[in-house]
């Protein structure tokens, strides 16, 4: 299996000598092509910092992060923009769809920057829309869609450029439980059918139960790791709950 992401001994400190926060305190792990990885942990454990370091939005204090074998912590300027645009897909909690564009146009936007013919764009969008069950809303504007539909359009937009990896920070955080389930099923489909590699940060055990592997973070370190294997989603969910009980204390986790 191809390794898509290598995180090697990264640290991220905020503040200065007198007031130092170790947001990430030596974290290492690999992600293989086709994995759906969950990052879990209480509020303040370092999940967002980790994701932001991987997406190069934030800089590590030390250590290296390789995506497709290339150390992205050293990228600068245009190469940095190109890396984010071409090799990563993002699913944001608040969708980040443009209100004045239809679903189709929102998805196409990511591709028009890449100089792909209109015909190929059209074919790609229709294929992805079918897989994510949004064919009927392609000509609608965001205000005409449900939260779940908007989130699935956002998934399509993240997926359309064929990124090496899709990153999502608490993607179900703003959704009601039915829309959340819908979105998670879409992400599962992106992972299973379309072979997308996904890294999702969540503090919610139900969301995490859709992942194939989960890393638990506590105080900026990896505390535990569990693999779904042949478990059903329900069985995996109860294993997640057991680890969270071990992690202890913080109400936010549960
Ligand atoms: N820009 C920042 N400046 C200073 N401290 C920060 C900054 N971002 C995060 N932190 C601190 O780093 C720690 C980890 O935060 P974060 O990664 O946002 O956690 P999580 O996403 O798990 O809730 C927290 O103690 C937080 O207060
Ligand atoms: Mg966070």
């Amino acid at each position: 299996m191809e390794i898509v992401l290598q995180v090697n001994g990264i640290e991220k400190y905020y503040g200065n000598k007198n007031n130092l926060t170790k947001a990430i305190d030596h974290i290492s792990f690999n992600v293989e092509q086709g994995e759906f990885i969950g990052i879990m942990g209480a509020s303040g454990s370092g999940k967002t910092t980790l994701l932001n370091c991987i997406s190069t939005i934030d800089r590590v204090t030390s250590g290296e992060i390789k995506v497709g074998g290339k150390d992205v912590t050293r990228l600068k300027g245009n190469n940095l923009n190109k890396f984010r645009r071409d090799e990563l897909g993002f699913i944001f909690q608040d969708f980040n769809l443009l209100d004045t564009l239809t679903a189709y146009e929102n998805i196409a936007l990511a591709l028009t920057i890449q100089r792909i013919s209109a015909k190929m764009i059209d074919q790609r969008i229709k294929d992805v829309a079918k897989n994510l069950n949004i064919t009927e809303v392609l000509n609608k504007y965001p205000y005409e869609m449900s939260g779940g539909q908007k989130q699935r359009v956002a998934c399509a937009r993240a997926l359309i450029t064929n990124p090496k990896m899709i990153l999502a920070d608490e993607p179900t955080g703003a959704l009601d439980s039915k829309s959340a389930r819908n979105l998670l099923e879409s992400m599962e489909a992106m992972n299973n059918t379309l072979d997308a590699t996904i890294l999702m940060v969540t503090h919610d055990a139900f969301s995490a139960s859709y992942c194939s592997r989960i890393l638990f973070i506590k105080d900026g370190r990896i505390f535990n790791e569990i693999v779904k294997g042949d478990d059903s989603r329900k069985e995996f969910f109860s294993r997640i709950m057991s680890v969270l009980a071990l992690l202890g204390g913080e109400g936010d986790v549960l």
Side-chain angles (χ1 to χ4, degrees), residues 79-97:
N79 288 333
L80 199 60
N81 295 335
K82 201 168 168 329
F83 164 71
R84 286 187 203 147
R85 189 190 69 204
D86 296 346
E87 309 203 18
L88 299 179
F90 294 92
I91 300 173
F92 301 95
Q93 191 178 99
D94 53 1
F95 320 125
N96 269 16
L97 296 177

Side-chain angles (χ1 to χ4, degrees), residues 54-66:
I54 294 170
S55 65
T56 67
I57 287 163
D58 211 339
R59 289 257 171 209
V60 296
T61 306
S62 63
E64 62 172 17
I65 297 172
K66 289 185 174 176

Side-chain angles (χ1 to χ4, degrees), residues 42-49 169-170 201 203:
S43 178
S45 58
K47 305 182 296 295
T48 295
T49 304
D169 193 351
E170 307 274 6
V201 161
H203 67 268

Side-chain angles (χ1 to χ4, degrees), residues 4 36 43 55 99 111 142 158 172 204 217:
V4 175
F36 184 176
S43 178
S55 65
D99 292 332
L111 283 176
T172 57
D204 171 48
I217 305 221

Side-chain angles (χ1 to χ4, degrees), residues 125-143:
I125 293 179
K126 283 179 178 154
D127 285 348
V128 171
K130 202 171 149 204
N131 272 297
L132 293 178
N133 196 18
I134 47 168
T135 306
E136 328 73 63
V137 301
L138 281 179
N139 291 318
K140 290 189 173 173
Y141 289 91
Y143 75 89

Side-chain angles (χ1 to χ4, degrees), residues 73-162:
T73 61
R74 291 169 205 284
L75 291 176
K76 287 196 179 73
N78 255 345
N79 288 333
L80 199 60
N81 295 335
K82 201 168 168 329
F83 164 71
R84 286 187 203 147
R85 189 190 69 204
D86 296 346
E87 309 203 18
L88 299 179
F90 294 92
I91 300 173
F92 301 95
Q93 191 178 99
D94 53 1
F95 320 125
N96 269 16
L97 296 177
L98 298 176
D99 292 332
T100 53
L101 300 181
T102 63
Y104 186 99
E105 292 162 343
N106 264 287
I107 302 167
L109 195 61
L111 283 176
T112 42
I113 302 167
Q114 290 195 342
R115 298 185 184 197
I116 297 171
S117 75
K119 201 176 154 201
M120 264 184 71
I121 291 179
D122 192 60
Q123 193 53 53
R124 290 263 287 274
I125 293 179
K126 283 179 178 154
D127 285 348
V128 171
K130 202 171 149 204
N131 272 297
L132 293 178
N133 196 18
I134 47 168
T135 306
E136 328 73 63
V137 301
L138 281 179
N139 291 318
K140 290 189 173 173
Y141 289 91
Y143 75 89
E144 300 172 300
M145 299 177 219
S146 70
Q149 287 169 335
K150 278 190 264 197
Q151 193 56 285
R152 295 209 298 284
V153 171
C155 284
R157 184 192 50 191
L159 193 71
I160 201 76
T161 56
N162 256 330

